[in-house]
Amino acid sequence: MYVSCVSRPVKVCLCPYLPAHPLDVSTSLYIVQHPAEESRVLRTVPLLTACLPPGKCKVFIGRRFSEERHPELAAVCKDTHTLLLYPGASAENLEDVTSDFSSTPHNVVLIDGTWSQAKDMFLRNGLFRLPRQVQLGSAPSSQYVIRTQPTNMCVSTLECAAVTLAIMEKNHNIQEVLLKPLQALCSFQLQHGAQIHHSKEHLIKNGQYNKILPINKRKIRRMQKLITNENI
């Protein structure tokens, strides 16, 4: 096995659920990760890097990224063959992009953090405005059930990467392989006392949201958007 789950007890080791050999992909992933994600025990990015060849999934940690401090990331963002996976009004659905990803290797930049952290990083970093912006038009429901998501449409970074690589590499098997360790992680946690986390949208719609509702008008409007399925 080319990677060891040294941070997990043997009985819940995820190594048996990783591919026997790193997935053969031409696409390179660049994860820009909010520092707060480092302290989380149940993260999906380490599982993603464990499934891919060395150099095919690089992680940059921080809130702000400049050309001076991050020349490699800046060069990637300037590359015409780089895509930024982040939803928005100006984003194209990746499924509809007509580029031939097989003829020239492409790069994909993903932002790893909570939705509010990701939004802040996207808005405050000019480098992220350089690549072609894309989004997933038909992502499946998240299988990362041990962490609460804002809406039913939200998925983890690993799941985003799995769908993206399956589309760009034209190989649906990639998605299945990448999801196996995530499914095992969630299964282990549920067996040892973790609870299934429904999205905030689901809880609000079903009257199960136990936290005190906000009095701030902006936050109230955000709650209303969750209930009516508007874009947040």
Side-chain angles (χ1 to χ4, degrees):
M1 185 62 62
Y2 59 92
V3 65
S4 174
C5 297
V6 294
S7 61
R8 297 180 64 84
V10 174
K11 64 179 180 180
V12 291
C13 179
L14 296 174
C15 288
Y17 303 94
L18 300 174
H21 303 284
L23 291 173
D24 182 17
V25 295
S26 61
T27 307
S28 297
L29 302 181
Y30 291 83
I31 312 293
V32 287
Q33 186 179 80
H34 192 279
E37 286 296 309
E38 279 191 288
S39 61
R40 294 185 182 276
V41 177
L42 304 175
R43 296 175 292 155
T44 65
V45 170
L47 300 179
L48 178 60
T49 57
C51 294
L52 299 175
K56 284 297 183 180
C57 184
K58 295 187 177 182
V59 181
F60 297 83
I61 300 172
R63 294 183 178 85
R64 305 291 178 266
F65 300 90
S66 64
E67 186 170 1
E68 294 73 21
R69 295 180 60 187
H70 301 89
E72 180 183 2
L73 180 61
V76 169
C77 289
K78 291 179 179 180
D79 191 331
T80 56
H81 296 106
T82 295
L83 305 175
L84 173 74
L85 186 66
Y86 186 82
S90 60
E92 305 172 63
N93 286 343
L94 180 61
E95 298 89 334
D96 300 331
V97 174
T98 57
S99 301
D100 184 3
F101 299 122
S102 60
S103 62
T104 305
H106 279 64
N107 311 305
V108 179
V109 177
L110 301 95
I111 304 177
D112 182 44
T114 65
W115 276 102
S116 59
Q117 291 167 351
K119 181 179 180 180
D120 179 73
M121 291 168 68
F122 173 73
L123 294 176
R124 293 180 181 272
N125 287 281
L127 285 179
F128 301 158
R129 230 77 76 234
L130 300 177
R132 186 176 183 180
Q133 186 179 347
V134 296
Q135 62 188 3
L136 299 176
S138 57
S141 298
S142 178
Q143 298 185 41
Y144 193 25
V145 295
I146 55 175
R147 184 168 173 179
T148 303
Q149 303 287 3
T151 75
N152 295 332
M153 298 300 294
C154 294
V155 295
S156 67
T157 301
L158 181 145
E159 291 170 304
C160 281
V163 176
T164 298
L165 288 175
I167 294 172
M168 297 181 69
E169 301 287 328
K170 296 181 179 179
N171 182 355
H172 184 72
N173 184 57
I174 290 176
Q175 183 176 343
E176 296 178 359
V177 171
L178 289 177
L179 290 181
K180 280 185 179 179
L182 176 65
Q183 293 164 347
L185 170 65
C186 292
S187 177
F188 284 144
Q189 294 303 126
L190 293 173
Q191 290 172 25
H192 289 81
Q195 300 294 318
I196 292 178
H197 288 225
H198 294 292
S199 71
K200 188 181 293 184
E201 174 190 354
H202 173 89
L203 296 176
I204 294 173
K205 284 184 175 180
N206 290 276
Q208 299 172 339
Y209 191 71
N210 296 324
K211 293 184 179 181
I212 299 175
L213 292 174
I215 58 175
N216 179 281
K217 290 184 179 180
R218 180 179 62 83
K219 291 184 178 181
I220 291 176
R221 178 57 181 157
R222 186 177 179 84
M223 289 289 190
Q224 291 173 339
K225 288 182 177 181
L226 288 175
I227 296 173
T228 58
N229 284 326
E230 293 181 46
N231 291 329
I232 55 174

